[in-house]
Amino acid sequence: MSAMANPRKKRTGKEEKLTFKERLAALRNLPAFFKMVWQTSPGLAIANTVLRVAQSAMPLSLLYVGKLIIDQVVHLSKDTHHPSAWLWKLVAIEFGLAILSDLLSRAISLLDGLLGDLFANHTSVKIMEHAAKLDLDQFEDAEFYDKLERARQQTSGRTVLLAQVLSQVQDIITIVFLAAGLVVFNPWLILLLLLAVIPAFLNESHFNDLYYKLAWGQTSDRRELDYIRYLGASDETAKEVKVFDLSNFLINRFKAISHKFYTDKKELQIRDSIWGTLFAMIGAAGYYAAYVIIIIRTISGQLSIGDLAFLAGSFRQLRTTFQGILIRFSSVTQGALYLRDLFEFFEIQPKMVPALHPRAFPKPILQGFTFEDVGFKYINSDKWAIRHLSFTLHAGEKLALVGENGAGKTTLVKLLSRLYDPVEGRILLDGVDLREYDLQELRTQVGVIFQDYQRYQMTVSQNIAVGNINQSGNQPMIEDAAKQSLAYPLIEKMPMGYEQMLGKRFNQGIELSGGEWQKIALARAYMKDAQLLILDEPTSALDARAEYNVFLRFADLTRDRTAVLISHRFSTVRMANRILVLERGTLVEIGSHEELLARKGRYAELFELQAAGYK
């Protein structure tokens, strides 16, 4: 629960306050956004745009036809002998326009929904693709996780921004037509219109800034809230929550954070509502001032009843549309600000840059891996995890790593498999810096099973195949890997065999014991035809005999391969050709089991301590 212990990172003044200039600058994100929308579905994007342009002509058309109908009705009421065929044609035209307008609106809503779903899927895939390119240590940085979380939040709802921008274009076209009539009639009505809507726009813009600031500042706490929600209601945590009686602690912590979210937003919403009501009243006053002018002109005989309806309707429509444009402009810039979070994530680049002309991985490895004064420390840490480490892992050698927790064993194997690059020194493979080799090929030639392996809520076959996912359809290879890891007898007893769903998250899934999960995980190591196999305490849940059998099998299967194993059981460690002892990230001693016992150093001390526990 370390996330709950971290104080919120202080934010800079630039993040606290967003100026109008910065809001305009955020619009620079729109071209990249539309490029992503276009990549999602060019056909739907074009169709949406065409339909919106057609819809923009509907308000003017309906108002004008309505004016003609009213004038025709007034005329017929004075001259009952005048033919009425034209009136009914106008009514039919208005009916047709109303139906067409409704069809266009529904089609636009449909396309918005379809495009939104596709865009959410497309963006989620791009986030996963980009995350896959980033370095492991970047995922261990809290600030990076905040950016990742804000990017994930943009995968849904961002097509609202697309609809808003297209609606802006649609409404601007509508305004051009409607405003022309008002300007011809009385230009002062346009001034009244501006006075009616600009205050509301400024108010909306101000509060949108405050909402963005609030959401930005809550990112870290919201991640903690999601984590607490997971801890309090998950099959994976239920056991410890009950044993340690954590439910009240988690519930109270959730209440405290969620209540703070509620009160902060409530205060802002109340202020927004009060000021919004005030400016809405100002807008209404502007509209009715224009309405009075139009009525007076009609009474004086300067306008017809149809003109009254047309102009009053046009002004009302203009006010609503213009206000919508200004307020939507605020929403568009707000959406563009949120897009900045998405594109900032895509701007994060891995520090492990591939070589311009990568070398092919040696097949076979001739000399081995050599650590030359290697040092490494984790991001945002001043403590060295490994320092001044020098040794050689010879080709075909079985090397065991020994040391207390935190000695640097797992860090060493992560450097060996190039999940990290050294901060100091270098690692050579057959005399060449490891960074000069093709990274993907290197990962293919190194098979690793860590102590914190993942328990995938998938089928048995899929759980094993993740070790070499390109062979997920190779059932004989999967079954062979299961036999090598001693998981085969377990799988044979399952109701659905290799198609059995593991875990309780999905229907018909079964839960395994810790040792059973480890046998499934071990099978992943044998899915690769890797030259280097690493087992980082993956058998900790097995009893001593089962672990001994696994490592006997492991030693036999890696007879012609290089292997590294980490285990706290010295009965297993002694199988290795050599044993490397680490303490506080430095090499204390290295040699065979017999050599290290004869030296009576740190290894002999640890061995005697464990042996005493069995006496």
Side-chain angles (χ1 to χ4, degrees):
M1 292 178 213
S2 59
M4 288 180 265
N6 293 334
R8 185 189 300 177
K9 182 177 176 284
K10 291 185 178 180
R11 299 168 60 207
T12 66
K14 184 175 181 180
E15 293 157 351
E16 292 286 342
K17 183 64 178 175
L18 295 165
T19 66
F20 186 75
K21 183 178 179 180
E22 287 174 321
R23 294 171 62 83
L24 287 176
L27 295 177
R28 297 173 186 169
N29 295 322
L30 291 180
F33 169 70
F34 279 112
K35 182 178 179 181
M36 290 181 66
V37 172
W38 177 263
Q39 291 172 344
T40 299
S41 176
L44 288 179
I46 291 174
N48 198 315
T49 303
V50 170
L51 292 179
R52 285 183 176 278
V53 171
Q55 179 72 349
S56 66
M58 289 298 106
L60 175 65
S61 302
L62 286 167
L63 283 169
Y64 186 72
V65 173
K67 164 201 155 29
L68 295 178
I69 290 173
I70 291 172
D71 284 341
Q72 188 69 8
V73 168
V74 171
H75 180 70
L76 289 175
S77 68
K78 296 177 180 179
D79 183 3
T80 57
H81 301 292
H82 194 278
S84 59
W86 175 235
L87 172 63
W88 302 119
K89 288 181 181 179
L90 290 173
V91 171
I93 292 172
E94 187 179 54
F95 176 73
L97 289 173
I99 294 296
L100 178 59
S101 179
D102 182 68
L103 290 175
L104 288 173
S105 296
R106 292 179 184 276
I108 289 169
S109 296
L110 173 62
L111 293 182
D112 282 348
L114 294 176
L115 198 54
D117 290 341
L118 286 176
F119 181 78
N121 296 340
H122 178 72
T123 310
S124 296
V125 169
K126 287 185 70 69
I127 288 176
M128 288 189 287
E129 288 175 343
H130 189 68
K133 299 176 185 176
L134 301 178
D135 302 332
L136 180 60
D137 63 345
Q138 291 173 301
F139 284 87
E140 297 164 347
D141 179 31
E143 185 176 348
F144 167 83
Y145 255 106
D146 284 344
K147 288 185 177 181
L148 175 58
E149 180 63 23
R150 287 194 291 269
R152 283 173 176 163
Q153 291 172 0
Q154 306 314 309
T155 59
S156 60
R158 285 306 97 200
T159 44
V160 172
L161 179 61
L162 172 65
Q164 289 173 336
V165 174
L166 292 176
S167 293
Q168 292 290 77
V169 176
Q170 175 182 326
D171 286 351
I172 288 172
I173 297 173
T174 300
I175 281 178
V176 170
F177 289 111
L178 293 175
L182 288 183
V183 170
V184 170
F185 166 69
N186 191 334
W188 289 104
L189 292 180
I190 299 298
L191 179 60
L192 280 174
L193 180 67
L194 294 175
L195 291 175
V197 298
I198 287 179
F201 161 69
L202 295 177
N203 176 71
E204 188 76 15
S205 177
H206 171 70
F207 278 98
N208 275 344
D209 284 345
L210 295 181
Y211 282 122
Y212 176 79
K213 170 188 169 184
L214 181 65
W216 203 102
Q218 290 177 340
T219 302
S220 182
D221 286 342
R222 194 166 294 282
R223 282 201 299 114
E224 181 181 346
L225 198 67
D226 291 339
Y227 180 59
I228 295 171
R229 185 187 291 112
Y230 161 75
L231 290 178
S234 169
D235 60 330
E236 296 180 11
T237 62
K239 180 173 62 178
E240 288 203 5
V241 168
K242 289 182 180 297
V243 168
F244 297 123
D245 194 21
L246 296 177
S247 58
N248 287 335
F249 165 73
L250 295 173
I251 290 170
N252 290 335
R253 181 62 177 159
F254 185 90
K255 285 180 177 179
I257 299 175
S258 60
H259 183 69
K260 185 178 184 302
F261 284 173
Y262 169 75
T263 53
D264 288 348
K265 193 171 183 180
K266 173 186 174 183
E267 178 187 351
L268 191 57
Q269 287 175 323
I270 291 174
R271 289 164 51 199
D272 186 11
S273 179
I274 292 172
W275 284 102
T277 301
L278 175 62
F279 288 117
M281 292 171 62
I282 294 174
Y287 165 70
Y288 278 98
Y291 193 34
V292 167
I293 293 173
I294 296 170
I295 291 174
I296 292 173
R297 296 289 298 275
T298 303
I299 293 173
S300 66
Q302 298 178 48
L303 297 173
S304 68
I305 300 298
D307 292 335
L308 168 65
F310 175 74
L311 291 173
S314 295
F315 190 87
R316 182 174 60 251
Q317 184 76 39
L318 270 171
R319 175 194 164 224
T320 303
T321 306
F322 195 48
Q323 188 175 35
I325 285 177
L326 293 179
I327 293 176
R328 199 184 296 117
F329 171 78
S330 179
S331 298
V332 167
T333 56
Q334 190 72 22
L337 285 171
Y338 283 108
L339 279 176
R340 182 179 64 183
D341 299 329
L342 180 64
F343 294 127
E344 276 185 356
F345 173 74
F346 287 131
E347 288 171 2
I348 300 173
Q349 295 300 319
K351 292 172 286 185
M352 294 174 58
V353 181
L356 290 177
H357 304 288
R359 290 173 174 264
F361 196 89
K363 298 177 183 177
I365 297 173
L366 299 176
Q367 301 172 29
F369 296 83
T370 301
F371 282 61
E372 291 187 346
D373 197 31
V374 170
F376 178 82
K377 57 183 176 181
Y378 290 93
I379 191 169
N380 297 328
S381 174
D382 296 326
K383 179 184 176 182
W384 289 91
I386 283 179
R387 196 81 191 274
H388 302 307
L389 187 61
S390 298
F391 74 96
T392 296
L393 170 62
H394 301 292
E397 182 181 26
K398 310 295 180 289
L399 179 71
L401 303 182
V402 171
E404 296 179 337
N405 291 334
K409 304 185 296 296
T410 298
T411 301
L412 188 155
V413 299
K414 287 179 178 177
L415 288 167
L416 193 58
S417 55
R418 213 189 160 202
L419 291 173
Y420 302 135
D421 276 338
V423 176
E424 293 180 346
R426 60 178 185 163
I427 303 173
L428 307 178
L429 171 58
D430 283 359
V432 178
D433 195 310
L434 204 60
R435 286 170 284 207
E436 294 187 26
Y437 290 101
D438 182 272
L439 183 58
Q440 290 303 116
E441 193 175 359
L442 186 151
R443 298 265 172 84
T444 301
Q445 292 297 320
V446 178
V448 190
I449 298 297
F450 291 106
Q451 57 182 318
D452 54 349
Y453 59 86
Q454 188 66 40
R455 300 182 180 190
Y456 294 99
Q457 306 283 309
M458 300 178 181
T459 65
V460 173
S461 287
Q462 291 168 334
N463 260 280
I464 296 174
V466 296
N468 187 358
I469 201 62
N470 293 328
Q471 296 295 326
S472 59
N474 191 336
Q475 192 62 27
M477 187 175 184
I478 291 172
E479 293 181 13
D480 185 59
K483 291 174 182 176
Q484 294 179 44
S485 72
L486 305 181
Y488 184 76
L490 165 68
I491 299 169
E492 286 291 291
K493 297 177 183 178
M494 292 181 182
M496 301 176 67
Y498 286 89
E499 296 307 309
Q500 176 65 57
M501 183 68 70
L502 298 183
K504 289 292 188 179
R505 184 162 297 182
F506 304 109
N507 289 337
Q508 298 183 323
I510 62 172
E511 190 55 78
L512 304 181
S513 68
E516 290 169 337
W517 269 114
Q518 287 192 322
K519 289 180 180 179
I520 297 293
L522 279 168
R524 297 169 193 163
Y526 299 113
M527 280 296 294
K528 286 183 179 179
D529 186 21
Q531 295 192 67
L532 171 62
L533 285 177
I534 302 173
L535 298 188
D536 179 9
E537 295 191 72
T539 58
S540 57
L542 299 178
D543 57 53
R545 181 181 295 276
E547 183 186 56
Y548 182 77
N549 289 333
V550 165
F551 277 110
L552 275 179
R553 185 94 172 144
F554 178 72
D556 182 58
L557 292 167
T558 59
R559 192 177 304 279
D560 299 321
R561 305 186 199 181
T562 308
V564 175
L565 60 94
I566 300 176
S567 174
H568 285 292
R569 293 194 179 105
F570 286 84
S571 58
T572 299
V573 168
R574 65 190 300 173
M575 296 180 187
N577 303 124
R578 286 193 302 162
I579 301 163
L580 187 154
V581 183
L582 286 169
E583 188 169 288
R584 297 179 181 176
T586 59
L587 191 156
V588 177
E589 52 189 353
I590 186 170
S592 67
H593 172 72
E594 292 75 14
E595 291 171 345
L596 294 179
L597 285 181
R599 291 177 192 172
K600 298 187 181 301
R602 183 60 173 156
Y603 177 81
E605 178 187 349
L606 293 172
F607 181 82
E608 291 299 329
L609 282 172
Q610 188 171 111
Y614 289 97
K615 292 180 181 178

